[in-house]
Amino acid sequence: MSALTADQRRRQYLTAALREFVAKGYHGTSTRSICATAGTSPGLLFHYFASKEALYDELVSLGCRHLAFDLDEALADPLAFFHHSAESSLAMVRENPEAALMFTFMTSAQRSIGVTPGSAELLRSHNIAVLSVPVIEAGQASGAIRDGDPLALSIAFWGAIQGIAEDLGIRTDTACVPDPSWLLDILRSQDL
C-alpha cells in the first residue's frame, strides 16, 4: 500500500470534514471525528490544517470558487449563461456525489454566516443570487428573460438548483436529475 501524497491527504481531510460538517454542523464536528471519518490518527490532521476552522474556511473557499463566473460573458448572453450554469451544476452532482454534499454544506454555511471570521466575508461576497441580478436585468432588457423582480427570479433559479442538488445528495439516484432546460423555463420569457 503506497502512502498518500500531501495533496491526496489534504483532499482526504477535506472530504471527511465536508461529510462531518454536513452531518453535524460546525459546532457538532470535532477534529477527532474528522480524523475518524478520514481513517487517520488525530495528530496527523494538524500537519495539513491548523484547525477545524481552517478546514471549514477551505471548504467555504472551494465552494465559493465554484460560484465565480465571468460577468461580461454572462451579460452577453444571459440565457446561455443560465443554461450552462444549470447544465454544469446538474452534471456535477450526477457525476460526483460529493458535489451534492458541497451544495448542502454551502447552504448551511450561508445560514451560519459568521461561524468563522474567515468564511463570513467570503460568503457575503459570493451570494450567487445577488451576483446574478445584473444578468437577469440584461436578459429582461433583451426580452429573453421574463418580467418580474430580478432578485426573486434569480432566487427561484438558483434555489431550484440548490434544492435538486440537496435532494440528490440524500437520494443518490442520479437517474432522477431533471433536464436543465426545465430550470431555464423559470427564467425564459414566455414570448420566446
Side-chain angles (χ1 to χ4, degrees):
M1 186 162 120
S2 63
L4 297 179
T5 67
D7 282 346
Q8 290 170 324
R9 184 68 74 188
R10 281 181 60 79
R11 280 194 302 270
Q12 178 185 22
Y13 282 123
L14 287 168
T15 299
L18 177 63
R19 289 181 180 147
E20 288 293 304
F21 288 136
V22 167
K24 301 174 185 171
Y26 180 81
H27 297 293
T29 297
S30 67
T31 56
R32 186 171 299 286
S33 69
I34 292 168
C35 291
T37 298
T40 66
S41 64
L44 186 59
L45 168 71
F46 298 108
H47 291 284
Y48 299 93
F49 294 95
S51 63
K52 175 175 84 168
E53 181 177 308
L55 266 165
Y56 186 86
D57 288 346
E58 180 69 19
L59 285 169
V60 168
S61 179
L62 286 169
C64 286
R65 276 185 245 150
H66 286 288
L67 297 174
F69 63 91
D70 182 327
L71 181 59
D72 291 332
E73 187 177 308
L75 291 171
D77 191 343
L79 278 181
F81 163 73
F82 286 111
H83 186 265
H84 173 73
S85 296
E87 199 170 62
S88 62
S89 295
L90 296 178
M92 189 179 354
V93 298
R94 182 184 314 108
E95 296 162 11
N96 179 3
E98 297 295 325
L101 286 178
M102 183 56 90
F103 275 89
T104 303
F105 170 77
M106 290 299 286
T107 296
S108 174
Q110 281 288 350
R111 288 186 182 130
S112 304
I113 273 187
V115 165
T116 70
S119 66
E121 186 54 39
L122 200 54
L123 287 164
R124 281 188 196 96
S125 66
H126 284 80
N127 184 324
I128 192 72
V130 172
L131 294 172
S132 298
V133 166
V135 184
I136 298 277
E137 292 170 336
Q140 288 174 322
S142 73
I145 293 181
R146 69 176 65 232
D147 290 333
D149 181 274
L151 181 58
L153 285 166
S154 187
I155 289 168
F157 176 80
W158 293 111
I161 290 175
Q162 182 69 36
I164 292 163
E166 288 186 30
D167 195 63
L168 290 171
I170 294 166
R171 294 179 193 281
T172 66
D173 181 3
T174 59
C176 294
V177 176
D179 186 303
S181 66
W182 300 349
L183 299 175
L184 201 58
D185 287 340
I186 293 170
L187 301 174
R188 191 185 330 266
S189 172
Q190 297 180 340
D191 297 333
L192 292 180

